[in-house]
């Protein structure tokens, strides 16, 4: 591609997960054909390797890509259901929360109708040049330029340093489980490390496939269910995000840390399914196929013959847990942004090394007067627990669009809070 052929866009979004899809859906009404999304994957998909049997969403279907700010938008979940002819079937199935596979299909349907998504493009480096804008390198070439940039990179599995040494064929992250199942010995001991939703889903998958010796280790004092009560859901409202902008950084961090179980925990339905599958297994085997070990911090693991020995602290001391296979459901971390070092240097970071995110989701950086950088899903400690999930996607996208175009393109209404936060 010669220099003159490199397309220059108003805005480029890197990543086409739900966060940037919501942005693209709302963008087209304001500035059609001016946003392009660059996505590494070859097609639209959503956590495809974590679509284990029967998994459900953790959020209401009302929280789709658009409806919270524009319920008349053609890419609403209800329009998807009517267009696919499945609305009556879905209503009749009486799901409290919809299957994750249905949400994935909804995203694929919406993606097909959003212009300007370029699949199979992995952005290796984002640079910046004064007067030219941002540049995007892929496969050793500059493939695009833009005035503004929105990072929607999502997250990648995280394995703590003490456990990373065992990663291989028999010790793997949850994304590998489905592919490994056919070769695994169902009678052999399997340990699942991680007491969150993904750990729970891996345990269910193993029990569902007839594994007879599963150990589930979690750090929290018990396998804690998610708090989905009305007061917990008040944290997932624009009014609360607005309140958070008014408190000091320290207070904000303390408040947000106390809200972890409202999102980063196990759905009661998944826990019930595990207890019932374990009971069924006990009736079949005369012993429980699953042993639960909460309050365990697995600090290291060593290879031992064909398997592993896990070392954990427990409420009464230390213990060793032997395992033939280990599933490392030890969390996720933000995907590192592929920013050129020269661009990173221009961005303000706080004393923990995190990029500083302002209330409109823009980064504070030297060139922000003319060229904006926005981040999706990286502002937990400024915007609260809702930032890491799907509940306020259109609200965040609307905030970004309003800031980018310097006017209230979208109105965010949360007019009836009954809680006085401060
Ligand atoms: C299994 C699972 C289930 C979840 N379920 C829920 C739920 O029910 N409710 C809820 O509220 N939250 C849920 N979450 C949390 C969160 O909402 C999701 O992770 C959501 O996908 C985040 O959207 P995103 O667009 O920010 O990131 P992602 O969906 O991860 O999308 C990021 C995209 O960026 C692309 N990308 C990354 N780097 C580059 C690059 N350099 N170049 C080009 N493309 C790149 C990736 O390929 C990816 O497609 C779930 C998370 C997981 C892991």
């Amino acid at each position: 591609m010669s220099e003159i052929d490199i397309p220059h866009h108003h805005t480029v979004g890197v990543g086409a997960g739900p966060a940037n899809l919501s942005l693209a859906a709302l963008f087209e009404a304001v500035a059609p054909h001016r946003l392009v999304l660059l996505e590494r994957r070859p097609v639209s998909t959503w956590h495809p390797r974590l679509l284990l049997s029967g998994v459900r969403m953790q959020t209401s279907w009302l929280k789709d890509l658009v409806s919270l700010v524009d319920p008349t938008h053609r890419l609403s979940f209800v329009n998807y259901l009517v267009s696919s002819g499945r609305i009556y079937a879905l209503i009749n199935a009486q799901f409290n929360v919809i299957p994750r596979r249905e949400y994935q299909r909804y995203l694929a349907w919406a993606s097909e109708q959003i212009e300007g998504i370029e699949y199979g493009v992995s952005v290796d480096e984002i640079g910046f040049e004064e007067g030219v804008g941002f540049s995007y390198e892929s496969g050793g070439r500059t493939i695009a330029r833009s005035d503004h940039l929105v990072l929607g990179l999502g997250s990648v599995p995280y394995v703590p340093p003490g456990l990373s040494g065992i990663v291989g064929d028999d010790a793997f992250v949850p994304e590998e489980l489905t592919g490994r199942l056919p070769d695994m010995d169902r009678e052999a001991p399997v340990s699942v490390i991680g007491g969150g939703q993904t750990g729970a889903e891996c345990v269910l998958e193993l029990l569902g496939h007839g594994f007879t010796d599963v150990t589930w280790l979690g750090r929290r004092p018990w396998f804690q269910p998610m708090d989905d009560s009305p007061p917990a859901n008040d944290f997932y409202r624009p009014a609360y995000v607005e309140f958070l902008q008014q408190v000091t950084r320290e207070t904000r961090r303390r408040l947000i840390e106390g809200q972890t179980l409202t999102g980063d925990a196990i759905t009661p339905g998944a826990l019930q399914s595990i207890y019932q599958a374990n009971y069924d297994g006990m009736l079949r085997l005369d012993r429980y196929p699953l042993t639960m070990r909460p309050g365990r911090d697995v600090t290291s693991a060593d290879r031992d013959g064909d398997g592993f020995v896990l070392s954990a602290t427990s409420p009464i001391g230390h213990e060793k847990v032997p395992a033939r296979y280990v599933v490392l459901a030890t969390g996720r971390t933000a995907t590192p942004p592929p920013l050129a070092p020269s661009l990173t240097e221009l961005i303000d970071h706080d004393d923990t090394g995190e990029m500083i995110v302002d209330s409109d989701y823009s980064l504070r950086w030297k060139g922000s007067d003319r060229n904006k950088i926005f981040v999706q899903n990286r502002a937990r400690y400024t915007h609260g627990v809702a930032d890491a999930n799907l509940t306020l996607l259109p609200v965040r996208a609307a905030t970004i669009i309003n800031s980018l175009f310097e006017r209230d393109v979208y109105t965010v209404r949360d007019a009836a809070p009954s809680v006085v936060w401060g």
Side-chain angles (χ1 to χ4, degrees):
M1 197 182 284
S2 79
E3 193 60 22
I4 10 180
D5 295 334
I6 298 170
H8 191 112
H9 307 287
H10 177 277
T11 301
V12 161
V14 183
N20 269 349
L21 287 178
S22 172
L23 178 80
L26 295 178
F27 211 96
E28 65 180 20
V30 200
H33 318 300
R34 295 181 74 191
L35 170 81
V36 161
L37 301 185
L38 304 176
E39 167 58 51
R40 160 187 295 164
R41 294 189 163 131
V43 290
S44 166
T45 186
W46 183 60
H47 300 310
R49 294 190 298 157
L50 289 172
L51 281 178
L52 306 177
S53 328
V55 285
R56 300 279 183 261
M57 294 299 289
Q58 290 179 310
T59 28
S60 156
W61 56 267
L62 273 171
K63 298 189 166 176
D64 61 16
L65 296 174
V66 291
S67 294
L68 288 180
V69 298
D70 183 2
T72 62
H73 199 288
R74 67 192 170 92
L75 298 182
S76 71
F77 184 73
V78 172
N79 192 22
Y80 154 74
L81 277 185
V82 173
S83 313
S84 65
R86 277 204 302 280
I87 190 156
Y88 300 102
L90 188 96
I91 291 172
N92 245 1
Q94 299 187 354
F95 288 109
N96 290 328
V97 274
I98 57 165
R100 217 183 274 158
R101 200 173 287 281
E102 185 75 280
Y103 186 74
Q104 189 197 48
R105 286 191 182 198
Y106 160 63
L107 293 180
W109 170 85
S111 306
E112 273 172 24
Q113 297 173 69
I114 295 172
E115 281 181 20
I117 308 180
E118 296 179 15
Y119 289 102
V121 179
S122 182
V123 176
D124 305 326
E125 188 164 279
I126 305 170
F128 177 75
E129 200 183 317
E130 184 77 49
V132 177
F134 298 101
S135 59
Y136 303 86
E137 293 256 329
S138 182
R141 303 184 295 132
T142 303
I143 51 148
R145 294 211 167 91
S146 73
D147 295 337
H148 308 288
L149 156 67
V150 184
L151 295 170
L153 306 171
S155 58
V156 285
Y158 169 77
V159 177
L163 302 178
S164 55
I166 61 165
V167 173
D169 282 354
D170 295 334
F172 44 83
V173 295
E175 274 84 347
E176 308 293 329
L177 179 60
T178 308
R180 292 287 297 119
L181 277 174
D183 300 328
M184 289 167 70
D185 172 4
R186 282 162 174 62
E187 311 291 319
V190 190
S191 282
V192 176
I193 307 176
Q197 179 71 17
T198 302
E201 288 173 5
C202 292
V203 166
L204 259 180
E205 189 75 356
L206 290 164
L207 294 177
H209 280 80
F211 282 76
T212 60
D213 187 1
V214 181
T215 298
W216 187 17
L217 303 112
R219 207 186 263 155
R220 291 179 185 145
W222 76 98
F223 289 100
Q224 284 171 290
M226 191 165 86
D227 182 352
D228 194 23
S229 62
N233 275 299
D234 271 326
F235 299 136
Y236 296 81
R237 289 178 61 160
Y240 188 72
V241 177
E242 211 173 287
F243 158 73
L244 280 179
Q245 306 312 300
Q246 296 158 30
V247 302
T248 63
R249 226 177 94 207
E250 292 68 33
T251 307
R252 204 156 54 200
R253 186 168 273 265
R254 182 175 48 75
L255 291 173
I256 292 165
E257 272 167 4
Q259 297 159 8
T260 303
L261 291 179
T262 64
D264 183 11
I266 311 164
T267 54
L271 282 170
Q272 199 175 41
S273 301
I274 288 174
Y275 273 73
Q276 291 179 0
N278 207 21
Y279 195 89
D280 280 342
M282 181 273 291
L283 293 177
R284 211 174 50 244
L285 302 169
D286 277 332
R287 63 174 178 78
Y288 285 106
L290 169 68
T291 307
M292 287 180 267
R293 290 175 183 258
R296 291 345 194 253
D297 189 0
V298 183
T299 50
S300 63
D302 295 299
R303 289 194 176 275
D304 181 40
D306 272 351
F308 307 92
V309 176
L310 310 179
S311 302
T313 55
S314 83
I316 52 166
H318 293 269
E319 66 188 20
K320 302 271 184 201
V321 180
R324 172 70 183 81
Y325 308 102
V326 181
V327 183
L328 295 150
T330 41
R332 301 181 71 84
T333 185
T335 307
L339 302 175
S342 55
L343 177 54
T344 306
E345 269 173 24
L346 301 174
I347 295 171
D348 292 1
H349 291 74
D350 66 17
D351 45 20
T352 66
E354 284 296 312
M355 301 186 290
I356 298 178
V357 185
D358 274 326
S359 57
D360 61 353
Y361 301 93
S362 67
L363 290 184
R364 254 181 237 172
W365 78 291
K366 303 286 177 290
S368 61
D369 282 354
R370 296 177 56 176
N371 303 92
K372 300 254 190 197
I373 308 175
F374 295 92
V375 287
Q376 306 234 48
N377 200 345
R378 291 189 102 90
R380 184 183 175 90
Y381 288 111
T382 46
H383 291 69
V385 281
D387 192 61
N389 63 38
L390 306 171
T391 52
L392 291 181
L393 281 191
V395 173
R396 186 172 56 193
T399 307
I400 292 174
I401 290 170
N402 289 350
S403 169
L404 206 43
F405 293 97
E406 296 178 345
R407 65 190 167 92
D408 276 349
V409 178
Y410 290 101
T411 309
V412 174
R413 287 200 183 84
D414 184 6
S418 54
V419 183
V420 180
W421 291 110

